Structures are given as C-alpha cells and as structure tokens.
Amino acid sequence: MLQAKAGQFFSSGHTNNWAVLVCTSRFWFNYRHVANTLSVYRSVKRLGIPDSHIVLMLADDMACNHRNPKPATVFSHKNMELNVYGDDVEVDYRGYEVTVENFLRVLTGRLPPSTPRSKRLLSDDHSNILIYLTGHGGNGFLKFQDSEEISNVELADAFEQMWTKRRYNELLFIIDTCQGASMYERFYSPNLMALASSQVGEDSLSHQPDLAIGVHLMDRYTFYLLEFLEDIHPASTANMNDLFKVCPKSQCVSTPGHRTDLFLRDPGNVLITDFFGSVRKVEITMETINLTAPMVKVTSHIKCYREELTVLSSRTKG
Amino acid sequence: MGLLSDPNRRRALTKLLTRLNAPICVMCYLAGVAWFMGLAFEPFTLRTYMSENAMGSTMVEERFPAGERALATGREFAAHKKKVGGMPVDWLVKTMQSRGLEVFTQSFTRKLPFPDENKERYMVRGTNVYGILRAPRAPRTEALVLSAPCSEGNNNNQAVGLLLGLAQYFRSQIHWAKDIIFLVNEHDLIGMQAWLEGYHHTNTTGGDWSPLQGRGGSIQAALSLELSSDVITSLDLVLEGLNGQLPNLDLANLFYAFCQKIGVLCTIQGKLQRNDWDTTSGYSHAAQTMMLMVLKQASGRPWGDHGLFLRYHIEAASIRGINSFRQYKTDTTTIGRLLEGMYRKLNNLLERLHQSYFFYLMPSLSRFVSIGYYMPAFGLLAVILLLRALDLWVQLGASPPGTEDGVAGGVQVSNGPSSPGVLSILTPVVISHMTGVALYTLPILSQEMAVQHFPVSETEAVVLTAIAIYTAGLALPHNTHRLLQGEGTEEGWRVLKLVALLYLAVLLGCTALINFSLGFILALSLVPIAAFITPHTPKALSAAIMVLLSPGCTLLYCVFVFQELQETPVSLQDGWMLFLSVISQGILDHALYGSLVYPLLALLIYPCWLLLWNILFWK
C-alpha cells in the first residue's frame, strides 16, 4: 500500500520548486516589463514558492524612478488596482547586474564561491523550475539592457548543461517578447515545456497605458496570464492545456505558441501548481518514530527503502 | 588603354563635353529648380512620426486647471510692468518665490554698434528673471526651460501669466525627473543671449552680463511662449533659429501630436494645413509654406527667442498664440494642458533628442522633406559649375594655335606672352576680397564720419555706406587694369574664371551643407552668371543681367517675395525701406548674436561676384 502511495507521490517526479524570473529591459518606457515580471513573481509567491527559491532579476527600478508619480509602487492595471511591487519584494539581481553572463551562470550554477545563497539557483534533479523572461526580443535573440543579447542557441545549450548536471526535473519556460517563439526553437534537452507570447514575425503588444503614470503598464500576454493565475490556488487542478489557451489571438493580437514535444508527460496531466506553486506533498503517518534509537546499518534498510522515503518526505527537502 | 589615358578616346570625350556643355548646364539648372519645386508636392514628402522611443505617444493625462488664474496673474504682471516702466523685477522675484521656485536674476548691458530702428534701442540695459523648479527626487543633472519674453506695451502678458501658472502647477507634481527653469527674459533676443552665455560660461559676442547664481544642469529642451491674448484661435510653431539651424524634428512632431490630441488648431509659417494636395491651389499652398521656411532659414536670423538655444545643441522651438477671426476659440487652460503634456513627455527623455532629423523642410506641419531628398536640387546646380570648370580646363589644356609650349595642359607659370602671369590672376582676387573686407568693416566704422557730413541717422548711414561700397565695386575692373602692365590674355580670363568657378562651387557647397536655403538661393542667382559670363558676351546686356542677379538684388527680390508669401505685399517704396532695414538687421544680428549671413555675403560671396564682374570687363 505504501508503495502505491509512493508511486502516486512520485507521479510528478519533483520535490521542490524554483522560479527564475527575469526582466531584461531598463528605462522608464519599459515599465511594463518590470510589471510583467513582478506580476508573475506575485503569483508564484502567492502559490507557495518562497523567496529563497525565487531568483528575481529586474534590470531597472521602476518603483523608485524619478518619473514615477506613485513612488514605491508598480501597477499592473490602470486605475491602479493592483500594486505588484508590494511590501515584500526581494530582488536578487538588480540594475546592471542583470546581464547575459549572470543569467547563464545562475542557470548553470557556475557562480563564484562568494555568491550568496539568495543569488543562486540551488536546484537538484527533483526540482521543477519555472523560467520567465520578458523584454525586447527578435528572431532568435532577447535583448539584455540595450547592450547585449542572448541567442536561442545559447539558451538551449544552457538548458542542456542543466540537464547534464541534473539541475532540473522538469522545466517550464515562458517568454513574453516580440517573436518569442524563436527562443524555444532550438531546445533539445528532455523535459522542457515552452510557452511564448508571439510567433516569429509577430510583435507582442502592450496592454493598456495608464494616463496618470504615462506609460503602458503591462504586456497583453502577461496581463491575461496574470488574470488566469489569479484564479489558481494551491489545491487547484487546472492543467497545462488551460495555460495554453491563455490569451487567444482575439485578445492578444499576436498568436501565442507553445512547445511540448520534449516533455515526457502529457501536458493534460501536468498541474499548473507543478510549476507555479510549491505544493508540499505531506503524508500523514500513524507510526511513531523513535528518534533516539541508534542508526540502523544501511544494508538492512534496503528492503524498507520505500517506507523510509515516505517518512523522509514529510520533512521536505531543499 | 584606359578611358582617360587613351589620347584618342580622351579627345572624343572632351569634344563631347565641349559640345554638349551648354545644353547640359541649362538642363541641370531647370532640373534643379523643378526638383526643388517638386519637394512641396505631397506624394514626394513623408508623413511626420515620433522617432524617439522614450517619448512614446501622447498618453499622459493633462490636468492643468488654472487658466483663469494664469490670466489674472498676467494682468497683474501688465500692471506692474506699466508702473515700473520696464521689467517688474521685484514683483516677478516675489511671485516666483511664493510659488516655490528658486529665483535668481541676471542683469546685462549691451551697446549696439548702431541704433536699431526697428526696435528703437541703442544702449540696452535689462534684467532676466528665472526661477528653477528642482526635481523632487532626481539629481540636478538635466533641465528643461520654459521661457516667455517681457515685451513692451501689452504684448506677451498672458505668456508670462501662463508661465507663472504652470510653475505653480508643476511645483505640486512629484514626477519631474529634470529641473524646470522658468525664464522671463527682457529685451527678447539680447536678454536671451546674455542668459545663455551666462549659463554656459561662454562669451562669444562681447556682451556684458552678471554671472548666473543658480544653474540647473545641462538643458535638454526649451520652449519659448508668446501669447498676447486671452483666447486664441490657433498656435503657430516657429522652428527657424540662428544661422538657419533647426531643432530636431521630434520637437515639431511632439507639438503636432499634442495639438491633434487636445484639438487645438496648429499652424506653421502661419498657414493651416490643407488636404487637397492634388489641386493646384493645394500644391501652391504647400509650396508657399515651404518657400516661407526657406526664406526664413536663409536669412540666418533667429525668428523667435528659441533661436539662440540651438547653438548649444539644445532643441528649442517657439510657440506663438494667434488670435484671428475664427469661430472656435481655445482658452488658456487648454494651452496650459498642451504645454503640460509636452513637458511631461520631454520629462521622459533619457538623452537629448537625436533620433529624428536635424535637417529638413516642412511644406506643412505633418509632412517633411529630409536632407536626402532636398540636397539633389542643390547638387544639380553645383554640377553646372563643375561642368563649366571642366570645360575651361579642357580649353586651357588644348593647344592653342601658335603656342611655343606643347600640349602640356594646365597653367604654366612662365613669362611667355601667351601664358598668364600669377600676378594678373592674383590681382583681381586680392582686390575683390579687399573690397569685401571694406564692405564688412567700413559701414560700422565710418558711421560717425557719415553722420557728420550727411543729414542721415546712424542706421541709415551704415546701410547707405554698405550700398555705396557695394556699388563702388562695380567700377573696379576699369581700375584694376591700371595696376597691371600690358593687356590681359585669352588664357588669363579663362584661368581667372576657372578659379572663380571652383571657388564659388566650394563656397556654395559649404554654405548649403550648413544652411541649405541660403546656399540654394545664392546658387539660383549666381550659378547662371558664373556659368555663362565671358568677356565676349554683349557687354551692356551681360552687365545688366549681372547686376540684376547680384547678391544685393537677390536680397531685394527675396524681400518682395517674402512679403508676397506672407500675404502682405508691399509697394516698391515700402519694399525698398524694408530692404534697407533688412540690411541693418543683418549687420546687427552678426554683431549681437553671431549670425554668419552678413560676413558670408560681404567677405566671400560678394568678392566672388566681383571676380565674375572682372571677367566680364576683361581687356
């Protein structure tokens, strides 16, 4: 019976969730990219991923920009209904630290030893990672901060490095830029699912301007993504097929795309909370555990391996 | 063998060149004029668009509420101005301080080289008052300027009132990322020049002003406001600045975009845009607007207080409120909102405006012609000079019958009787340029002497001396030859003409690069005479044509055409008086602000024309 339960537990294969959220544009008129990233950050936090498991990279500070008529806020909706900046935003890479090199180092884990834990992606082979990128992009590249670009080949290679180093179990890649679909064309590592806000040759459009602030607040795709995610709660059973339907062409003007051929499971079986939330699977056991008993030799435990694991999973790893 | 090194082919080429030279020149001239006139035809122009990403579209919410209060402030300003009899400095300082600005004043004095009869001033003494609105959270590295002139009588009171009203409103906003400087300048351009020189720590024109106590960082953009009535029917945008420099087209695009958004009628050159480009009257309307811009740019004078900012690479424009007989009136609150919108967008700028064009012509406010499209018109005219020069080169290189020196080509400075000496070429050049120097320096220097001997005012003395020297130059050729020994030769005038053609080509080319309109207008009149003048053309007719197409007469025609285009045609006598005042203004602009049109005409263009006059009377 325990084995069946364990099987059910491991149906998704992951035990912890990470998120890497990147906004690559600076300057006041790119307010909407920061708002995009902060909206996803907010949803991800709300659904349970703690700050220690989120690497948030924002290339510019919109909340404290001199031009912001509402300082210390970043709004995602006009009429200022939703302040996504909030009180407990923890930005890990800020300003000029958001570079292609830092992004790739975070993904592959090749950071200098002095890098603090908050700036590292400490994922393992049971981690589900959500990667969200937004900014200005083109056919096959994403622009970082007006001075450099990351190409789709580099990104694909970085993911391959992650797979080889066993740094993820499954990875969901979402990109909201112009011609975003070009960024996932070159992926070749297993267990990658990708969503993009527009196809090659199309531009992703911004949603609404706020006249009091004077800029566009959000991009369309992320706006409707946020709307969709607001309905998700930790026990929700919505799956990836619902996510693929977010922002159809009538609302988005561009055609969102997705790629699932590298993903081993069927998207219909993948819960939204597998990536966006940190759903702890807790097994209640009626047995008492004697912690003062001496450690039993490993060999005798091989038979009870699976039972041990159910007990261990109640103290979640990571 | 190559095309140019094979003597047979070369002879064939040169024969072709010589034979077809005159027809090609005529065709190029007509093509150049046709190209220029075609620039105003709407399908050949481009629609204006915002190039600067940071400014984006006009999506701001303008909420300026206090138009009536601004008008009341304007009336107070008018009352104090009348009481003080000039600029009410203390009242302005107190009012600006009460609005929360950091207020400073600058006093300046300027002695004009001779009295300015248009504005009736000679010894100018004044004060500029400016208040700086510090950006609430930003470092003081960048600034924007809003200025209104303090004018005589009842002019521009509403402008100052609106400026103070906007200052009060802007002070309550927290989204300013740049300091905003509200400037009220006295004696319009002279005060503005003093302020700008003080701000940038330069002194190019020799004025005397007190140093500025407060600064705001590097100025990114400036607007000058001229508003003389409580309600207006349209807003006119003035772009032309000193030496024909224009602000970045994005500033005009910004103004036009906001006029469209708010629904205010906007004009350029005082003319409203028309939609019927395919009719003759529609085309002529656009052509007139463009010609007005060309004439204003060619004059090299700043046509609004903004004109002096451009020299410091600060994009600036003047906005003038016009109250004419239209039914729909716009009130001050709406103008305030338009300015608020423009300043909020300029606030978003991260770098100076540089994405759009700096060299353009505008047949209407929503259409423009960029330098790539209008330069070929000038190029076609310049090609005529080069073709004639090539033709002369060929003639000089071909062996004249009976010469002892072989077919060597080029000028040989030998003492043979058939080759010209350097002296015979150099003498006309030097004498022409010395006449030019005399035309440049003598009018101002000799005004006292002229006033003593003749019953004229100083201004008239200066202008009439200039005209006298100009006309005296006509008598030169007959006197130059007294200095030379012997007769001039056939080769002599050819060499002189070659030098003159190349000199003119370089001169006009450089002028057109900096100020296309000036270069083009001078080319229109000088290129025909430069191309076709020889000592063998009928003297009387050629002399008459040369005088009629000389730079002075071109200026006279331009004055008449300008008045026609502005729909205020003048009679001959009024036109002549206007012409004299234009000359005096030109000399004053050069002395006060560093305008380069007068030195260019006196020191370079006029001597060139004199060289051609010399060639005509070559003996």
Side-chain angles (χ1 to χ4, degrees):
Chain A
M1 185 192 70
L2 271 169
Q3 286 164 344
K5 275 201 176 163
Q8 186 190 42
F9 177 68
F10 284 112
S11 65
S12 68
H14 76 284
T15 59
N16 56 82
N17 288 84
W18 284 81
V20 178
L21 310 173
V22 184
C23 161
T24 60
S25 320
R26 56 171 37 241
F27 303 139
W28 174 246
F29 57 91
N30 290 321
Y31 183 101
R32 60 189 188 277
H33 296 142
V34 172
N36 290 349
T37 318
L38 285 173
S39 311
V40 178
Y41 173 78
R42 175 206 148 77
S43 307
V44 150
K45 258 181 94 161
R46 190 175 51 81
L47 291 170
I49 304 185
D51 272 317
S52 55
H53 282 225
I54 303 178
V55 177
L56 179 61
M57 305 171 85
L58 295 180
D60 202 357
D61 184 3
M62 296 305 168
C64 299
N65 193 307
H66 310 307
R67 296 168 183 80
N68 195 343
K70 307 277 170 192
T73 60
V74 173
F75 289 105
S76 68
H77 193 278
K78 74 170 178 201
N79 304 325
M80 293 175 262
E81 286 173 12
L82 186 57
N83 173 15
V84 288
Y85 199 66
D87 292 327
D88 57 349
V89 169
E90 194 182 290
V91 182
D92 302 305
Y93 286 82
R94 66 194 69 221
Y96 289 108
E97 289 174 348
V98 178
T99 59
V100 174
E101 182 189 343
N102 281 348
F103 176 60
L104 292 176
R105 282 186 185 281
V106 162
L107 288 182
T108 55
R110 297 178 193 282
L111 287 160
S114 56
T115 318
R117 281 179 73 95
S118 59
K119 286 186 156 169
R120 288 177 187 266
L121 178 65
L122 296 164
S123 56
D124 56 25
D125 58 334
H126 287 302
S127 306
N128 272 13
I129 308 183
L130 164 72
I131 298 189
Y132 176 81
L133 290 174
T134 184
H136 289 290
N139 192 353
F141 67 91
L142 171 64
K143 183 176 78 154
F144 266 70
Q145 298 224 33
D146 258 21
S147 57
E148 49 180 3
E149 333 171 314
I150 186 172
S151 64
N152 49 5
V153 177
E154 277 180 311
L155 196 58
D157 287 342
F159 287 160
E160 175 63 16
Q161 274 199 52
M162 287 174 82
W163 175 253
T164 328
K165 293 172 76 168
R166 304 204 187 289
R167 280 171 68 77
Y168 71 89
N169 174 37
E170 285 167 344
L171 197 146
L172 175 64
F173 174 77
I174 305 184
I175 184 161
D176 187 351
T177 65
C178 300
Q179 308 194 50
S182 63
M183 287 306 281
Y184 61 61
E185 274 172 0
R186 301 296 193 117
F187 290 174
Y188 56 94
S189 317
N191 267 348
L192 293 177
M193 188 177 339
L195 282 110
S197 59
S198 58
Q199 302 293 327
V200 174
E202 285 182 346
D203 286 339
S204 284
L205 301 177
S206 49
H207 186 55
Q208 348 154 290
D210 182 320
L211 296 182
I213 302 182
V215 284
H216 285 285
L217 294 183
M218 283 272 270
D219 280 330
R220 281 173 191 253
Y221 182 74
T222 312
F223 181 82
Y224 290 108
L225 180 69
L226 179 64
E227 221 177 47
F228 171 75
L229 289 174
E230 289 286 301
D231 289 334
I232 307 286
H233 53 86
S236 167
T237 51
N239 58 43
M240 280 299 159
N241 283 334
D242 301 324
L243 192 60
F244 296 156
K245 292 200 207 100
V246 162
C247 207
K249 194 168 166 103
S250 56
Q251 283 175 329
C252 254
V253 184
S254 58
T255 322
H258 53 88
R259 180 177 177 180
T260 53
D261 56 309
L262 293 165
F263 205 74
L264 294 177
R265 289 195 286 154
D266 174 36
N269 290 337
V270 181
L271 297 178
I272 301 282
T273 51
D274 279 352
F275 289 101
F276 282 89
S278 186
V279 180
R280 318 291 187 169
K281 291 201 169 65
V282 178
E283 287 283 332
I284 313 273
T285 171
M286 294 301 173
E287 291 173 16
T288 49
I289 302 153
N290 191 348
L291 289 170
T292 56
M295 290 283 289
V296 186
K297 275 200 304 231
V298 177
T299 46
S300 58
H301 263 260
I302 288 175
K303 286 178 261 164
C304 332
Y305 181 67
R306 287 202 142 189
E307 283 100 70
E308 285 293 333
L309 268 144
T310 30
V311 171
L312 277 171
S313 68
S314 66
R315 300 191 295 268
T316 49
K317 205 173 70 167
Chain B
M1 276 232 256
L3 195 64
L4 290 176
S5 49
D6 180 8
N8 288 331
R9 287 203 199 134
R10 188 166 60 180
R11 227 173 289 135
L13 261 181
T14 51
K15 249 191 273 185
L16 197 71
L17 188 68
T18 326
R19 208 180 45 191
L20 289 182
N21 207 304
I24 293 184
C25 287
V26 170
M27 256 180 29
C28 279
Y29 189 79
L30 293 174
V33 173
W35 187 296
F36 180 73
M37 293 317 290
L39 291 173
F41 190 49
E42 196 162 298
F44 297 160
T45 59
L46 292 169
R47 184 164 278 285
T48 55
Y49 54 93
M50 287 296 288
S51 300
E52 175 65 61
N53 223 347
M55 287 212 288
S57 60
T58 55
M59 55 180 174
V60 277
E61 207 179 346
E62 304 93 1
R63 286 205 223 102
F64 178 67
E68 292 306 314
R69 215 175 327 147
L71 289 178
T73 318
R75 282 190 281 272
E76 243 187 272
F77 172 72
H80 280 92
K81 189 166 73 170
K82 207 188 303 195
K83 197 168 71 174
V84 174
M87 174 100 141
V89 177
D90 296 323
W91 179 84
L92 266 176
V93 169
K94 200 164 51 91
T95 321
M96 281 191 184
Q97 266 171 351
S98 72
R99 281 161 167 73
L101 309 178
E102 288 179 21
V103 190
F104 306 95
T105 59
Q106 179 201 30
S107 55
F108 59 91
T109 55
R110 198 70 207 265
K111 179 161 172 292
L112 274 64
F114 54 88
D116 181 354
E117 285 190 347
N118 283 17
K119 300 214 176 84
E120 285 159 22
R121 55 190 183 192
Y122 180 49
M123 275 288 299
V124 172
R125 181 164 289 148
T127 323
N128 293 327
V129 179
Y130 64 104
I132 306 182
L133 173 83
R134 297 290 183 192
R137 293 171 282 151
R140 300 170 179 189
T141 48
E142 292 174 345
L144 296 169
V145 173
L146 178 62
S147 81
C150 169
S151 317
E152 316 271 295
N154 274 333
N155 293 328
N156 286 325
N157 296 327
Q158 286 84 352
V160 176
L162 185 58
L163 180 130
L164 294 169
L166 281 172
Q168 184 163 33
Y169 178 68
F170 284 0
R171 185 72 177 83
S172 63
Q173 310 294 315
I174 59 167
H175 54 249
W176 298 111
K178 304 182 205 289
D179 295 343
I180 305 189
I181 303 178
F182 295 92
L183 169 68
V184 181
N185 54 320
E186 200 179 354
H187 298 298
D188 49 88
L189 285 167
I190 299 183
M192 188 60 88
Q193 176 77 5
W195 190 81
L196 280 170
E197 285 187 344
Y199 198 89
H200 293 97
H201 304 297
T202 61
N203 197 334
T204 50
T205 54
D208 188 23
W209 33 262
S210 64
L212 295 185
Q213 303 297 318
R215 268 185 111 251
S218 105
I219 304 178
Q220 305 289 297
L223 283 178
S224 174
L225 190 61
E226 288 175 36
L227 198 60
S228 300
S229 54
D230 285 355
V231 287
I232 58 161
T233 52
S234 62
L235 282 175
D236 192 40
L237 182 70
V238 185
L239 295 171
E240 300 82 13
L242 188 66
N243 289 328
Q245 200 174 352
L246 299 169
N248 197 295
L249 190 57
D250 263 340
L251 201 57
N253 297 339
L254 185 69
F255 174 75
Y256 183 61
F258 271 100
C259 280
Q260 298 276 70
K261 179 187 180 196
I262 295 193
V264 182
L265 273 182
C266 51
T267 61
I268 191 166
Q269 319 300 343
K271 291 194 188 289
L272 202 56
Q273 193 173 341
R274 282 165 64 147
N275 286 331
D276 53 347
W277 55 266
D278 42 357
T279 62
T280 348
S281 57
Y283 167 72
S284 82
H285 184 87
Q288 281 173 30
T289 317
M290 196 179 77
M291 275 310 297
L292 271 172
M293 180 164 184
V294 164
L295 287 171
K296 282 189 180 172
Q297 199 185 8
S299 70
R301 58 189 310 252
W303 286 86
D305 283 0
H306 71 285
L308 297 171
F309 280 92
L310 297 169
R311 194 178 9 205
Y312 299 92
H313 199 188
I314 300 170
E315 311 311 326
S318 284
I319 298 181
R320 198 170 283 161
I322 301 193
N323 194 9
S324 67
F325 304 103
R326 252 179 240 277
Q327 206 166 9
Y328 189 73
K329 306 271 187 191
T330 313
D331 63 347
T332 321
T333 314
T334 320
I335 307 174
R337 290 206 174 147
L338 188 137
L339 289 171
E340 179 196 352
M342 284 184 77
Y343 270 86
R344 270 205 81 174
K345 282 289 139 182
L346 289 172
N347 182 43
N348 282 356
L349 280 178
L350 296 145
E351 334 163 80
R352 289 178 194 273
L353 287 166
H354 66 282
Q355 301 277 7
S356 191
Y357 300 92
F358 287 100
F359 296 97
Y360 50 89
L361 290 175
M362 296 188 89
S364 74
L365 203 48
S366 69
R367 297 246 146 206
F368 75 100
V369 183
S370 71
I371 184 171
Y373 284 94
Y374 68 57
M375 221 26 133
F378 176 78
L380 284 166
L381 294 182
V383 143
I384 298 176
L385 294 175
L386 295 177
L387 279 175
R388 298 303 284 175
L390 213 55
D391 183 39
L392 277 172
W393 180 265
V394 160
Q395 285 176 21
L396 284 171
S399 54
T403 324
E404 293 140 45
D405 312 1
V407 191
V411 177
Q412 287 199 349
V413 184
S414 66
N415 288 325
S418 55
S419 313
V422 174
L423 207 58
S424 72
I425 308 300
L426 214 53
T427 320
V429 173
V430 168
I431 295 188
S432 308
H433 281 86
M434 279 173 41
T435 321
V437 171
L439 181 60
Y440 178 67
T441 51
L442 278 184
I444 300 182
L445 287 180
S446 66
Q447 53 175 310
E448 285 131 29
M449 216 165 49
V451 168
Q452 278 170 12
H453 292 285
F454 300 101
V456 289
S457 66
E458 283 99 340
T459 320
E460 286 171 5
V462 169
V463 173
L464 292 173
T465 316
I467 297 184
I469 298 179
Y470 187 90
T471 333
L474 295 179
L476 268 182
H478 309 282
N479 300 318
T480 314
H481 283 285
R482 301 230 179 94
L483 288 173
L484 290 176
Q485 301 96 350
E487 291 194 351
T489 61
E490 276 296 305
E491 279 214 5
W493 73 260
R494 286 208 167 84
V495 172
L496 185 60
K497 189 168 175 197
L498 182 63
V499 168
L501 280 173
L502 292 176
Y503 183 44
L504 188 64
V506 166
L507 205 57
L508 288 179
C510 294
T511 312
L513 277 177
I514 301 172
N515 188 342
F516 164 76
S517 309
L518 184 61
F520 189 75
I521 291 179
L522 288 173
L524 273 181
S525 58
L526 288 176
V527 161
I529 50 180
F532 291 107
I533 283 298
T534 66
H536 303 302
T537 50
K539 287 266 193 304
L541 183 64
S542 312
I545 293 181
M546 271 205 80
V547 168
L548 283 178
L549 289 178
S550 70
C553 289
T554 316
L555 184 60
L556 184 64
Y557 306 147
C558 285
V559 167
F560 278 104
V561 169
F562 184 71
Q563 289 300 118
E564 272 290 332
L565 289 174
Q566 292 225 303
E567 286 158 27
T568 51
V570 286
S571 63
L572 272 174
Q573 194 176 3
D574 289 333
W576 176 255
M577 297 309 294
L578 206 56
F579 172 64
L580 296 181
S581 84
V582 163
I583 297 180
S584 73
Q585 286 297 310
I587 302 177
L588 274 177
D589 280 350
H590 169 64
L592 288 174
Y593 320 121
S595 160
L596 292 173
V597 175
Y598 179 64
L600 177 78
L601 289 177
L603 291 174
L604 295 171
I605 299 282
Y606 177 63
C608 208
W609 181 84
L610 272 185
L611 278 180
L612 296 170
W613 182 258
N614 253 307
I615 292 171
L616 178 62
F617 287 102
W618 188 268
K619 276 199 270 287

